[in-house]
Amino acid sequence: MTQYIRWFKELGMNDVPEVGGKNASLGEMIANLSTLGITVPDGFATTADSYREHLRHGGLDARINARLDELDTNDMQALASTGADIRQWIIDAPLPDGLVNAVSEAWNSIREATGGTIAVAVRSSATAEDLPEASFAGQQETFLNVRTLDEVLQRIRQVFASLYNDRAITYRVHQGFTHAEVALSAGIQQMVRSDIGASGVMFTIDTESGYSDAVFITSSWGLGECVVQGSVNPDEFYVHKPTLAAGRPAILKRSRGSKRIKMVHGQTTAVDTVDVDTFDQLRFSLTDDDVQSLASMAVTIENHYGRPMDIEWGKDGGDGRLYILQARPETVESRANRNVITRYRLDEHRATVLASGRSIGQRIGSGAVRLVSSIREIGSVQSGDVLVTDMTDPDWEPVMKKASAIVTNRGGRTCHAAIIARELGVPAVVGCNDATSRLTDGQTVTVSCAEGDTGYVYEGDLSFDVTETQLDKLPELPFKLTMNVGNPERAFGFSRLPHHGIGLARLEFIISNTIGVHPKALLNHDAMPEDVQQQIAERSAGYADPVSFYVDKIAEGVAMLAAAFAPHPVIVRLSDFKSNEYHNMIGGSLFEPDEENPMIGFRGASRYLSSSFSDCFELECRALKHVREDMGFRNVELMVPFVRTLDEADQVLALMAEHGLQRGQQDLRVVMMCEVPSNAILADEFLHRFDGFSIGSNDLTQLTLGLDRDSGLVAHLFDERDPAVKKLLALAISAARQQDKYVGICGQGPSDHPDLARWLMEQGISSVSLNPDTIVETWQFLAEQTSA
């Protein structure tokens, strides 16, 4: 006798053949994780047997198989026609009486349990869906806010029919599944009132780099379909799992999305898409407590399944609780070969940027722009084109695999289009806002997703390199190679390269790229001109106040670097902006002096100690103290730049201690940039005050040779290998070795000149910090030298 439905609470992962991966997973969580803080809305599932019985009506299954046997899925017109015919056949066929009766009984049971009026979601769950080797994400339909039994029965027919959407047909062919072996179950699940709350998607792995110690969460107002479909640019959060497990503040990064629209329950239709008011656009859709609670749930689910997971969630705006709506295995980064790194790198960086957005895929592609305004026009896309459109959904999958790259106005990194692009290995830049108006049909462009979280569309066909590195074949070296990293967005990806930590983390990169406002303007924001106040308000929206924005963004940037490279040391250089660089920031012209030569002017330790800047320096210290002491990243070490005299060294260390950064306390190591000739000449005296030297070969070279490295007139004389420079380098290294203290180098020299790196190795330097794009090549070169 056919069992037509199963309640979620009766199900587990052994029931995938009967109710599909999605429904089986819901039952698995209800049965095993409810006592661990995971709340899943209740419901029931139709069975695969009921689906097959439906298709046997009038020999429908045989008609479907015969039609598909003659289909070429590369023929877009034939695919559309075949899919439409099959779907209509399934919708027109009457549901089995036994299924109608079983669904009616279950519906009435839910109504009685909930006291009357209910709303449910009717979701698809394929028996080949949500497997570790293939996601099938979004291949079939979901219907929200279904309120009557008749509508439930109709939606079940439509869910059954959606197994033969164009995208589902081609995806099965692409993944190697035969059509007849896949059956469909409809899940009928009580709705969470996220229409008056928030919802989104989270992954227990970074979807771009495969970094496994972070939970990546996206969130927006209203029902989750806007996030999943990619019609909204959501908020994004990263949470560090080990820090979360330690009970500490664990949010590494917050990015506020535009969130311009949301999906809500409709009055005359099931759902409506409405505009989000400006107040809600400018604030985060989740509190920090919500973010950490969701991350804890994600880790619990991941631990139970024993693999990285892709999870949809909703926050009920009525009861304020967080619910898990579905969970499935992540199928791209979790399957990647961790012993091989494939890196894409542009050879040219001077091209015009035409558009930018969120990068998907860490690859580069180029081709002719093909502007497509709707699915009716996808036939115009030829192999190798760059597909440019407002947004895509899984219906576009058959043509997405033709594209060399994909660019959209809307969407976040967890939308269906992003997931499919990753699976296909196609670079995509989503959420550009205005790509369709900035790019023209037929225009040749290069799409780069190899430069961090931000993806760029460049004018022209730019050349690029692709390299592969076998990580398990790199030999040991007699000293440590670390990296120069400024951009926290690339930290997770860079951490996959061979390394011993970060030798130089530039704080000024974080300040200029994620804040962009002079700290003095933030401290005095109420007294700023109206236009500056407006820019500050826009940038700091979502944070408690402008000063908190400054402190929190510094803390987030440093925490991303510290987490990515833990447990290795991350040496953070305190801000080393010159006055002309500060001048270019929002509000900077109101506070910065005009200097003839800023390179040797108001910078480094002298700036921190000045009464005109000391309150700004305190904000830096506050952020760094939070990262080390509250978040627990003790691998963060600090570096003081441009210390001219011994007296300056004493004063700046005292000032740092006054702000809670006492050298030696809570394992805090403080090193000094050795970049002024006086540092090398008085190396012994300076080293008595610090835990070591990090040699800044750029400034040391220009000051030793009397060059302005910003001047093209004397640029040809700039060489870190000059005998005078090498003599000072030798003095600094020798003094550090005699005092058994750390000595590294973080200037550009070793990245540009492998022979200099070899000389430094021979001098006994502790570490050499290189740009990430040269570390593998230099590592291999030095290994050859040591074995020769």
Side-chain angles (χ1 to χ4, degrees):
M1 180 177 175
T2 301
Q3 187 171 10
Y4 290 100
I5 71 158
R6 296 279 304 276
W7 290 96
F8 288 161
K9 61 188 177 184
E10 302 169 356
L11 300 173
M13 291 311 296
N14 293 331
D15 297 304
V16 171
E18 187 174 7
V19 296
K22 189 181 300 177
N23 288 334
S25 181
L26 292 172
E28 179 78 13
M29 290 187 289
I30 290 172
N32 295 283
L33 302 180
S34 295
T35 59
L36 299 178
I38 305 299
T39 304
V40 177
D42 202 4
F44 62 94
T46 66
T47 63
D49 285 342
S50 64
Y51 166 81
R52 293 190 178 100
E53 184 175 329
H54 180 65
L55 260 60
R56 283 195 297 269
H57 178 82
L60 181 55
D61 50 356
R63 290 169 63 199
I64 291 171
N65 292 334
R67 186 71 178 270
L68 290 173
D69 285 344
E70 62 188 30
L71 174 66
D72 176 5
T73 55
N74 293 315
D75 184 335
M76 295 289 108
Q77 189 171 356
L79 174 64
S81 174
T82 298
D85 288 347
I86 293 174
R87 291 193 296 274
Q88 196 59 52
W89 296 344
I90 295 172
I91 291 171
D92 289 343
L95 292 173
D97 290 342
L99 176 58
V100 173
N101 293 334
V103 170
S104 300
E105 289 179 15
W107 175 262
N108 290 329
S109 177
I110 294 176
R111 286 192 62 188
E112 290 175 11
T114 56
T117 303
I118 59 170
V120 299
V122 182
R123 305 179 189 273
S124 64
S125 180
T127 56
E129 181 179 53
D130 300 345
L131 304 177
E133 65 275 9
S135 77
F136 281 76
Q139 294 300 303
Q140 288 81 46
E141 299 293 347
T142 293
F143 299 96
L144 303 177
N145 194 26
V146 179
R147 292 183 170 272
T148 68
L149 175 59
D150 286 344
E151 190 181 0
V152 169
L153 294 170
Q154 175 64 15
R155 296 308 190 193
I156 289 173
R157 275 194 291 268
Q158 291 173 289
V159 164
F160 286 176
S162 70
L163 190 62
Y164 294 95
N165 283 333
D166 299 355
R167 62 184 184 262
I169 294 171
T170 57
Y171 192 85
R172 286 194 293 276
V173 172
H174 183 69
Q175 291 290 339
F177 288 87
T178 59
H179 300 291
E181 72 181 296
V182 183
L184 206 63
S185 165
I188 291 81
Q189 184 180 40
Q190 293 183 52
M191 289 282 292
V192 171
R193 289 303 306 272
S194 54
D195 62 305
I196 55 173
S199 54
V201 179
M202 55 184 174
F203 287 83
T204 61
I205 188 173
D206 178 43
T207 53
E208 296 308 307
S209 68
Y211 177 76
S212 60
D213 270 346
V215 177
F216 175 53
I217 300 171
T218 59
S219 171
S220 196
W221 302 112
L223 299 171
E225 288 303 292
C226 284
V227 175
V228 173
Q229 292 172 356
S231 58
V232 69
N233 297 335
D235 298 330
E236 295 181 353
F237 307 89
Y238 279 102
V239 182
H240 190 231
K241 294 177 190 175
T243 303
L244 186 70
R248 293 177 177 272
I251 301 175
L252 298 177
K253 182 182 179 183
R254 305 164 182 83
S255 297
R256 181 174 52 80
S258 55
K259 308 183 299 293
R260 292 195 177 100
I261 59 172
K262 64 179 177 180
M263 187 176 287
V264 298
H265 291 181
Q267 297 298 317
T268 58
T269 57
V271 294
D272 285 330
T273 300
V274 299
D275 291 337
V276 175
D277 64 58
T278 303
F279 175 77
D280 283 339
Q281 288 183 38
L282 294 177
R283 66 187 182 108
F284 288 108
S285 50
L286 289 174
T287 66
D288 284 0
D289 287 344
D290 287 336
V291 172
Q292 298 219 147
S293 294
L294 282 170
S296 294
M297 293 179 188
V299 171
T300 298
I301 293 168
E302 178 183 54
N303 289 341
H304 177 75
Y305 284 97
R307 60 173 66 97
M309 299 295 289
D310 167 359
I311 302 160
E312 292 185 28
W313 60 270
K315 180 178 181 179
D316 193 305
D319 63 24
R321 297 177 64 189
L322 296 165
Y323 294 85
I324 300 301
L325 306 181
Q326 57 178 285
R328 54 182 168 253
E330 193 277 342
T331 58
V332 180
E333 283 300 328
S334 56
R335 297 165 61 195
N337 185 347
R338 293 288 165 229
N339 283 322
V340 177
I341 291 180
T342 303
R343 289 180 61 85
Y344 287 68
R345 184 176 66 176
L346 281 174
D347 291 334
E348 306 168 57
H349 287 283
R350 295 183 180 178
T352 302
V353 175
L354 302 175
S356 63
R358 306 297 283 164
S359 66
I360 308 297
Q362 297 192 341
R363 296 169 182 253
I364 299 173
S366 59
V369 167
R370 194 62 57 216
L371 286 174
V372 178
S373 61
S374 74
I375 194 170
R376 293 187 300 274
E377 300 176 5
I378 62 174
S380 66
V381 179
Q382 303 300 308
S383 180
D385 283 349
V386 174
L387 172 61
V388 181
T389 187
D390 183 52
M391 58 174 281
T392 69
D393 64 36
D395 284 323
W396 295 54
E397 191 268 345
V399 75
M400 289 168 71
K401 64 185 179 185
K402 286 184 169 184
S404 62
I406 299 164
V407 181
T408 70
N409 290 340
R410 296 191 280 169
R413 287 170 54 196
T414 58
C415 68
H416 280 147
I419 292 171
I420 291 171
R422 288 190 197 97
E423 289 193 354
L424 296 176
V426 176
V429 180
V430 300
C432 296
N433 295 318
D434 55 0
T436 52
S437 61
R438 294 175 65 91
L439 304 176
T440 57
D441 199 67
Q443 179 180 21
T444 300
V445 299
T446 298
V447 178
S448 173
C449 296
E451 301 172 63
D453 282 357
T454 303
Y456 298 96
V457 182
Y458 293 104
E459 185 176 33
D461 185 2
L462 306 184
S463 60
F464 59 90
D465 291 326
V466 184
T467 59
E468 280 196 356
T469 302
Q470 292 280 347
L471 298 184
D472 53 355
K473 294 184 179 179
L474 290 174
E476 289 296 318
L477 295 175
F479 66 103
K480 295 178 178 179
L481 284 185
T482 58
M483 276 189 260
N484 301 331
V485 181
N487 186 354
E489 292 183 354
R490 307 192 69 181
F492 291 161
F494 286 155
S495 70
R496 289 191 56 207
L497 293 167
H499 69 85
H500 295 96
I502 295 180
L504 171 62
R506 298 180 177 93
L507 207 59
E508 52 271 18
F509 187 98
I510 297 170
I511 295 171
S512 62
N513 282 44
T514 66
I515 298 171
V517 185
H518 196 289
K520 205 75 174 177
L522 294 168
L523 284 163
N524 300 278
H525 62 279
D526 288 339
M528 292 296 98
E530 188 175 340
D531 63 323
V532 174
Q533 287 193 39
Q534 179 62 32
Q535 292 180 77
I536 290 173
E538 290 173 359
R539 287 176 177 257
S540 62
Y543 289 81
D545 54 65
V547 171
S548 297
F549 164 67
Y550 187 82
V551 173
D552 289 351
K553 294 310 282 187
I554 291 177
E556 289 172 21
V558 173
M560 283 284 283
L561 298 171
F565 285 80
H568 297 288
V570 172
I571 300 177
V572 178
R573 183 177 70 187
L574 300 171
S575 63
D576 192 25
F577 281 121
K578 273 68 81 177
S579 55
N580 59 324
E581 295 165 336
Y582 265 127
H583 188 280
N584 293 330
M585 299 175 76
I586 294 170
S589 61
L590 302 171
F591 300 100
E592 289 299 318
D594 251 340
E595 294 189 280
E596 288 295 326
N597 193 339
M599 276 285 189
I600 54 175
F602 191 40
R603 61 178 290 200
S606 298
R607 181 178 278 269
Y608 311 150
L609 296 171
S610 169
S611 59
S612 67
F613 193 81
S614 58
D615 51 353
C616 303
F617 182 63
E618 187 275 329
L619 302 183
E620 283 182 42
C621 294
R622 192 190 308 178
L624 294 165
K625 186 172 186 288
H626 171 70
V627 172
R628 281 186 46 82
E629 297 184 12
D630 299 333
M631 300 184 76
F633 288 112
R634 298 290 180 84
N635 62 323
V636 170
E637 302 179 1
L638 302 182
M639 178 159 61
V640 183
F642 223 79
V643 183
R644 293 173 168 94
T645 68
L646 296 173
D647 185 51
E648 266 194 344
D650 291 333
Q651 289 185 60
V652 78
L653 286 170
L655 184 60
M656 290 171 65
E658 184 181 319
H659 295 320
L661 296 173
Q662 173 74 56
R663 176 185 166 225
Q665 286 190 3
Q666 304 203 41
D667 305 320
L668 175 60
R669 285 168 46 86
V670 181
V671 300
M672 189 190 91
M673 285 284 283
C674 179
E675 54 189 340
V676 179
S678 61
N679 302 153
I681 294 167
L682 296 177
D684 286 332
E685 289 84 348
F686 277 109
L687 284 167
H688 283 307
R689 292 160 167 82
F690 292 92
D691 294 299
F693 273 161
S694 183
I695 299 169
S697 59
N698 297 345
D699 276 324
L700 187 62
T701 300
Q702 77 162 346
L703 293 173
T704 302
L705 300 180
L707 299 171
D708 178 354
R709 58 188 169 104
D710 281 348
S711 171
L713 299 174
V714 292
H716 63 285
L717 297 172
F718 187 94
D719 191 341
E720 298 94 331
R721 297 166 296 179
D722 184 273
V725 179
K726 290 175 77 172
K727 187 163 188 175
L728 290 180
L729 291 173
L731 280 175
I733 295 169
S734 174
R737 293 193 63 182
Q738 288 176 14
Q739 294 193 32
D740 194 26
K741 291 195 173 181
Y742 167 83
V743 57
I745 187 167
C746 60
Q748 186 69 24
S751 294
D752 291 343
H753 309 297
D755 58 321
L756 177 61
R758 182 185 62 196
W759 180 83
L760 291 165
M761 178 175 67
E762 293 167 352
Q763 297 300 306
I765 200 161
S766 306
S767 75
V768 173
S769 195
L770 302 165
N771 295 336
D773 59 355
T774 65
I775 194 165
V776 171
E777 179 184 347
T778 305
W779 192 306
Q780 292 169 333
F781 171 81
L782 293 175
E784 291 171 3
Q785 299 300 308
T786 56
S787 62

